[in-house]
Amino acid sequence: MAALNQDVLVEVEEEDEDEEDGDVVLEELEQTIFPSYGTTSDQKNLHTAEWVEFDRKPDSLFFNDGQRRIDFVLVYEDESKKENRTKKLNKKRKQRKRENYESNLISNGLELEATRSVLDEHLIFVKVHAPWEVLCTYAEVMHIKLPLQPNDLKARDSAFNWFSRLFRVDENIIKPEQEFFTAPFEKDHLSNFYIQDKDMFFNPATRSRIVYFILSRVEYEVRGNVKKFGINKLLDSGIYKAAFPLHDSCFRHKSEDPNCPSERYLLYKEWAHPQKIFKLQPLDFVRKYYGEKIGIYFAWLGFYTQMLLLAAVVGLGCFLYGCITKDNCTWSQEVCDPNIGGNIIMCPQCDRECTYWNLTITCESSKKLCMFDSFGTLVFAVFMGIWVTLFLEFWKRRQAELEYEWDTVEFLEQEEQIRPEYEARCTHIVMNEITQEEERVPYTACGKCIRMTCCTSAVFFWILLIIASVIGIIIYRLSVFLVFSSTLPRHINGTEAIQKYLTPQTATSVTASIISFIIIMILNIIYEKVAIMITDYELPRTQTDYENSLTMKMFLFQFVNYYSSCFYIAFFKGKFVGYPGDPVYWLGKYRNEECDPGGCLLELTTQLAIIVGGKSIWNNVQEVLLPWIKNLIGRCCTAARSEKVIPRWEQDYHLQPIGKLGLFYEYLEMVIQFGFVTLFVASFPLAPLLALINNLLEIRIDAWKITTQFRRMVPQKAQDIGAWQPIMQGMAILAVVTNAMIIAFTSDMIPRLVYYWSFSVPPYGNHSDYTMKGYINNTLSVFAVSDFRKESKPVPLSWFDNQTTCRYRDFRYPPGHEHQYEHNTYYWHVIAAKLAFIVVMEHIIYFVKFIISYAIPDVSKKTKSKIKREKYLTQKLLHENHLRVMKKNVGNIADKILNVTDTTFRPKSE
């Protein structure tokens, strides 16, 4: 029994030692995760970076020893070289914070090497390297998924594989990435992971992400009980001037270093170059170099552009149909006919200053309107309601594939870390409802309510400011229409060339659209800064929460800012104008605007064309010219010293920083465009074609910009496109309503159909067959000049002395009727038809959308099989092997116990 007890005791002691070691490791990991990372070193025992001279290898990505890879670069200005530019005390304080920070970086396992700038002796470049042990430790902390074994599932070639191969990047230039089954990294199971080369197991993007995680959480100062930490705060306070990972080569030519793969050069050559505009993107290569967050943006933009191709073809077909059939447009022919439109005198559209005018003045605009307001527009509106559902459903499938292939399926649950700004404010202690343990939060429940109230109030204030600007534009329209009506030439015969194209309505619409666009751009610039300030004050917990909160604020603002003028023209202008004898006034002073006899659809098209076209030009100027000019100025300033050999880190430093929000504005630009393509497509069927052309350029411009003009971004994980997905789903639902209402209330399609099927034949009409003849005369009501109110009566003209009536756009009984100037039977038929059309069109499209959403699964069968296979391998290699080892150890202990027991209680042999 003594032997038994001794053996068991030894086993228990070994297990206790393992548990103590595990507790030590856990404490170390907790110190890594929470804001108390490390401690501020004693001033006398600070670790410092190793100082070296530049080894004159401009393409090198390694320390001077040629072995340790540069994973990150920090840049600061040497205060000792400055001549009284700042206060001495401030210089010492900055230097002390920086020294503490770098010392703590070294204490956390990173290795630093400092080099003075070649071009500017004031600048110091601190190169950061993460050794293997640090990478493994933090890969486990961050739950980074790494390869277990190559994918052994058989891939099935698509039926269109031969066709898509024509547009792919040459596989001999950019080799396809090998597919692996992956699992969250665990140091204890290192042997189970697919490691052929330790130096390549963590790719450069993953290494940079791990180092940035450490840089964001190492402290540099402790003041009282408040710990200050993170590279972002050091950058904001000017202690460091820049922090960035390195590009691996120059984009114009390959690196001379044989250890460098020159991936940046390949990206520029095969992806960002304008000659590759019709080639498919090497998305796996983009993700490998820039990370999943950049990769998912370009994957979404490329998919959106491919889907636009179908919409553009159909939209172009509908537009060509309108162009072909415009000569057969009966109502336009009546407007231009001197014997019909030439004999119709229209009532003035404003008080006193405006005069009577001839219907033939609108001849040219009526011809243009026939191209957009045709049966093809109705077909296209229904098609786009279905197209947007197909786009969103197929994107979900594509996104699910990328989530698996790029190892972001369980990213949000396991991997995303708390923002350092949030951690730094965690001073209040609360009880976690799930763990029943105390945890620190930055504010109490009351404080959170106060923050949310303040932020919501600020957002609504700015939305009201936009609405006020829209009201200002409306007042401008009403005021300037009087000016154009009195100054532009207006003759009854309408023969002057300028009058055919520059009517008061057209001049008012174009100038108001331009002014509206300018106001939109100015408010955008201001609100961008306000939205960031509001979101910073909210203090979201994670980066995803931060971006989603900012996304909703920016989109809500942009939605009102960009679309409010379009909604006004589509659904309000010309709808509440009364009639010449009793007009409706805006603010009791300005008479409401009226539409042309053909409706406001052409004006809506003009508004869309100006805003969409101007927005594209403005964004391209901002995205391309500004960074290019800044870099050009920087190169000119250093041209005198260009004969010197400049290292890679210094070349990258002189590029433009990408900004904290990354590609947020690119997403915003494309989603706003998505709104124009879907919400108002019934008025402008060429919108998808223009969006397609813009996006083909946008992909290459964005690729060129981040590859050639900006420093390399810190690689980040992203599971999907974030809050933009539900925003587009909401816009897709709203688009069905807006397009149905545009066709019903903005275009003249429903009144024409009602006339054709009901009022062109008896009992209401005089024609024996269904026809559009007489439509114009039937839709223009008659008004007696003698019924004008004194304040509205126009100045009498000599040529109008014999006229006793004029016409206006409405469906009312003529003077002398027992219900004069009240809405007639035609009006109520049209209203009923419009409401019925909206209900029927919405229900049909929503039903088809539901069927499509149900029929197309969000995750393909192929992707499901891969996910199941990966989970099986993870279970088998990581967990079952571990259980097998434990079972073997427990079996050994049991055998020892049985052997001892058998020896103890066995009868002695004689």
Side-chain angles (χ1 to χ4, degrees), residues 367-385:
K367 291 179 180 178
K368 296 174 185 175
L369 190 59
C370 286
M371 294 187 294
F372 296 100
D373 193 2
S374 64
F375 180 74
T377 302
L378 172 61
V379 174
F380 188 55
V382 174
F383 167 80
M384 287 301 293

Side-chain angles (χ1 to χ4, degrees), residues 408-504:
T408 61
V409 175
E410 299 173 349
F411 161 63
L412 292 180
E413 290 80 5
Q414 293 186 353
E415 193 174 343
E416 189 167 20
Q417 307 298 326
I418 298 173
R419 293 174 66 236
E421 293 83 357
Y422 181 92
E423 289 179 322
R425 300 287 186 88
C426 289
T427 56
H428 299 278
I429 299 176
V430 296
M431 183 67 69
N432 189 304
E433 295 180 356
I434 299 174
T435 63
Q436 293 298 312
E437 295 179 357
E438 291 184 348
E439 66 177 14
R440 291 183 176 271
V441 294
Y443 36 65
T444 60
C446 180
K448 185 175 182 178
C449 291
I450 294 174
R451 285 174 181 265
M452 295 302 296
T453 303
C454 294
C455 295
T456 304
S457 302
V459 171
F460 277 109
F461 168 78
W462 279 91
I463 291 176
L464 292 175
L465 185 63
I466 301 171
I467 296 175
S469 70
V470 173
I471 294 174
I473 293 295
I474 295 173
I475 294 175
Y476 166 83
R477 286 173 174 271
L478 301 176
S479 303
V480 81
F481 182 76
L482 296 174
V483 178
F484 286 130
S485 297
S486 59
T487 56
L488 289 177
R490 183 181 293 278
H491 298 284
I492 192 65
N493 55 14
T495 55
E496 291 194 15
I498 189 174
Q499 193 169 359
K500 292 183 179 181
Y501 302 99
L502 190 61
T503 62

Side-chain angles (χ1 to χ4, degrees), residues 71-76 101 125-126 128 211-212 215-216 230-232 234-235 240-246 652-653 657-659 711-714:
D71 299 316
F72 227 87
V73 175
L74 308 177
V75 186
Y76 67 89
Y101 182 70
F125 292 89
V126 179
V128 183
V211 171
Y212 182 73
L215 294 176
S216 299
I231 187 62
N232 291 330
L234 293 173
L235 290 170
Y240 284 99
K241 296 179 69 66
F244 52 90
L246 287 179
D652 285 4
Y653 171 72
I658 193 63
R711 298 171 189 159
R712 188 173 181 176
M713 287 173 279
V714 178

Side-chain angles (χ1 to χ4, degrees), residues 598-667:
C600 287
L601 191 67
L602 188 60
E603 185 174 347
L604 178 59
T605 303
T606 304
Q607 177 84 359
L608 288 170
I610 290 176
I611 293 180
V612 173
K615 180 176 173 293
S616 299
I617 296 172
W618 175 266
N619 288 333
N620 287 331
V621 168
Q622 277 191 318
E623 293 178 10
V624 178
L625 287 183
L626 291 182
W628 181 77
I629 290 174
K630 289 179 180 179
N631 288 332
L632 182 63
I633 294 173
R635 287 194 296 269
C636 291
C637 293
T638 59
R641 296 168 287 180
S642 60
E643 67 277 359
K644 296 182 179 180
V645 178
I646 304 174
R648 165 57 39 207
W649 50 86
E650 193 156 357
Q651 295 177 42
D652 285 4
Y653 171 72
H654 290 291
L655 297 175
Q656 296 301 307
I658 193 63
K660 293 182 179 180
L661 296 178
L663 294 174
F664 172 82
Y665 296 108
E666 277 70 21
Y667 270 118

